[in-house]
């Protein structure tokens, strides 16, 4: 006769206790991955955005600071004409930073969507309308141009997954700076500043 072998009750209890300890320590770490992914998303996009702004300016410098007949700075960036800031020492505006694809005489005319779509390669979808964040083909970022200071407007790019929803389940811009992850682009100085809220 063969002797049957198997697990004893003590061995099974020890395995269950070890699995319990692993679950208690590992599960909370996996739950935090969503927030870390949202943070990594905004940091990665902001880093790529800042690099693209710097590359456009570097190309403009390398090509001898091109100006058109209206004295506007511009650069042909990957087949697209980008218009750039013009130096204005009185308002602390540095030259050579992207304003968009529309010929513009002032920094107040910065077009946040044009900048996004033309400096990034295969950029995520953006919209200036918060209702475009809902639905199947929803935008990934909500874009707002702040023009309270006409001499130094800036663009804010908000990650959809971090924006609050109203009572109907629709995204809302109310109090957005207090809850969402976003970055801001300041064309006057070329600064890109990241804010992580959740």
């Amino acid at each position: 006769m063969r002797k049957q072998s198997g697990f004893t009750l003590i061995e099974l209890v020890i395995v269950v206790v070890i699995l319990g300890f692993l679950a208690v320590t590992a599960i909370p770490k996996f739950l935090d991955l969503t927030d870390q992914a949202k943070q990594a998303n905004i940091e990665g996009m902001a880093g790529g955005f800042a690099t693209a702004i710097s590359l456009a300016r570097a190309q403009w410098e390398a090509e001898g600071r091109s100006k058109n007949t209206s004295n506007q700075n511009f650069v042909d960036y990957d087949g697209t004409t980008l218009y750039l800031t013009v130096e204005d020492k009185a308002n602390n505006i540095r030259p050579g930073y992207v304003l968009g694809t529309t010929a513009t005489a002032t920094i107040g005319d910065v077009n946040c969507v044009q900048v996004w779509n033309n400096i990034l390669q295969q950029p995520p979808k953006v919209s200036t309308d918060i209702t475009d964040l809902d639905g199947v083909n929803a935008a990934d970022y909500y874009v707002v141009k702040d023009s309270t200071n006409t001499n130094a407007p800036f663009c804010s790019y908000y990650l959809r997954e971090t924006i609050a929803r109203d009572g109907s389940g629709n995204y809302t811009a109310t109090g957005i700076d207090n809850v969402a992850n976003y970055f801001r682009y300041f064309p006057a100085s070329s600064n890109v500043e990241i804010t992580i809220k959740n």
Side-chain angles (χ1 to χ4, degrees):
M1 262 182 107
R2 273 204 244 162
K3 183 179 175 186
Q4 288 187 331
S5 62
F7 295 109
T8 66
L9 182 60
I10 295 281
E11 291 171 330
L12 288 174
V13 169
I14 290 172
V15 168
V16 169
V17 168
I18 290 171
L19 289 174
F21 281 130
L22 289 173
V24 167
T25 57
I27 289 175
K29 291 186 181 190
F30 287 117
L31 293 177
D32 282 347
L33 290 180
T34 301
D35 289 339
Q36 290 175 1
K38 291 175 186 175
Q39 181 176 343
N41 182 314
I42 202 75
E43 288 173 345
M45 287 307 302
F49 188 94
T51 300
I53 293 292
S54 296
L55 287 172
R57 185 174 198 284
Q59 182 176 335
W60 175 69
E61 289 283 0
E63 293 175 355
R65 294 185 163 213
S66 305
K67 290 181 184 270
N68 64 13
T69 56
S70 302
N71 207 31
Q72 297 167 322
N73 296 331
F74 75 96
V75 65
D76 183 341
Y77 187 72
D78 197 27
T80 302
T81 300
L82 296 177
Y83 291 92
L84 313 172
T85 55
V86 176
E87 186 171 30
D88 181 352
K89 290 182 182 179
N91 291 307
N92 295 321
I93 298 172
R94 296 169 48 199
Y97 296 107
V98 182
L99 293 173
T101 58
T102 305
T104 179
T106 66
I107 193 169
D109 295 331
V110 63
N111 188 312
C112 304
V113 174
Q114 287 178 355
V115 172
W116 176 273
N117 286 333
N118 289 286
I119 65 164
L120 297 172
Q121 193 173 38
Q122 298 176 340
K125 188 175 177 185
V126 296
S127 179
T128 56
D129 183 354
I130 194 105
T131 61
D132 288 344
L133 301 182
D134 297 306
V136 178
N137 294 318
D140 299 305
Y141 281 82
Y142 173 55
V143 182
V144 176
K145 174 185 164 187
D146 185 308
S147 300
T148 52
N149 178 354
T150 56
N151 292 326
F154 57 86
C155 301
S156 297
Y157 299 92
Y158 298 91
L159 178 61
R160 178 187 64 211
E161 285 80 14
T162 61
I163 298 173
R165 292 178 181 258
D166 62 18
S168 302
N170 298 319
Y171 289 100
T172 178
T174 305
I176 196 168
D177 287 346
N178 298 322
V179 296
N181 293 351
Y182 60 94
F183 69 90
R184 288 191 167 140
Y185 166 53
F186 297 87
S189 61
S190 80
N191 288 348
V192 175
E193 297 176 359
I194 304 169
T195 302
I196 306 295
K197 294 292 184 175
N198 57 24

